[in-house]
Amino acid sequence: KQPVAAAGRSRDVLRCSDEEVIAFIQERHQPHLLRCFSEIGLGFSQGRVVADSETPQRILNATKQRGEERMLRVIKLLANPALFHECATHFMGNYGMQALVEATLRIRQAIQLAAAQGQHILSSFRSEHGGRDPHSVLLYACLPAAVELSTHERGTYLVQKLAEEAEAGELVELCRAVFPHGPSLTKDSKGVFVMMKLLGTLKDVCCEGSHRFDACELADG
């Protein structure tokens, strides 16, 4: 059943209940999340993120005008693993989640750009979430159900996307959650693709950065 916002209620995520925001994520093409994307400097059309090489700078500029508030309201809500799971396994909600994951990747690029310019953005958000940026918050929310989502007809796409773009430390945590179930996942028509994605990404990063030992140990084990 398609969720519908209550008639007469605000459709601004800063004024909505948690239940209403979840309903927005589960709508077809997520029209009521448009403001969340546009205010932070992202294009958003028919449920898809539209970005280009200038997007990180636009996001950085938007944060100087508090343009991140609505997007972060949604991400903070999805930090709850139960709500992440609910949306990840919902037919339309999964598309919304994929768009939000893409958005957080673009936000990460803006954070890196800001750091290169000697600036620090989203400091309060990261302080509230153990130093994690919005993308990392979503990845960690996925961890408790990562194995189940890996074999889910829709959830598997989210796990694969999170694996593909994970930083080394995040990748280690995702592997720790999934690898103990590797034998059964490799026999599943969807889970096998998650295992392939994790192993492929590990191959690319296991000899880089401060997590070299942990990542290589996971790959060898």
Side-chain angles (χ1 to χ4, degrees), residues 65-81:
Q65 302 177 42
R66 301 176 65 180
E68 78 280 8
E69 288 185 325
R70 287 173 174 79
M71 176 61 72
L72 295 186
R73 155 74 165 119
V74 177
I75 301 303
K76 287 179 181 179
L77 187 58
L78 293 171
N80 180 328

Side-chain angles (χ1 to χ4, degrees), residues 10-23:
S10 171
R11 295 185 177 182
D12 180 346
V13 298
L14 293 180
R15 301 175 64 187
C16 290
S17 67
D18 291 352
E19 292 77 12
E20 288 172 311
V21 175
I22 293 301

Side-chain angles (χ1 to χ4, degrees), residues 106-200:
R106 302 296 180 173
I107 293 171
R108 174 169 285 179
Q109 292 173 354
I111 291 172
Q112 294 168 345
L113 176 63
Q117 298 176 358
Q119 304 177 52
H120 300 282
I121 62 172
L122 308 190
S123 298
S124 295
F125 178 91
R126 286 185 282 177
S127 178
E128 293 170 7
H129 294 88
R132 297 170 186 153
D133 68 11
H135 185 70
S136 191
V137 165
L138 293 185
L139 185 144
Y140 276 80
C142 172
L143 292 180
V147 174
E148 178 190 346
L149 291 173
S150 294
T151 61
H152 189 273
E153 59 182 340
R154 290 176 287 276
T156 185
Y157 297 111
L158 271 179
V159 181
Q160 291 177 53
K161 188 170 185 64
L162 288 168
E164 182 176 16
E165 303 292 347
E167 293 185 345
E170 297 165 346
L171 185 61
V172 168
E173 294 304 315
L174 191 52
C175 288
R176 283 178 173 156
V178 172
F179 276 12
H181 304 270
S184 61
L185 288 175
T186 57
K187 298 175 184 177
D188 182 86
S189 61
K190 302 171 189 66
V192 66
F193 288 104
V194 171
M195 290 298 294
M196 291 171 61
K197 181 67 70 175
L198 285 172
L199 289 169

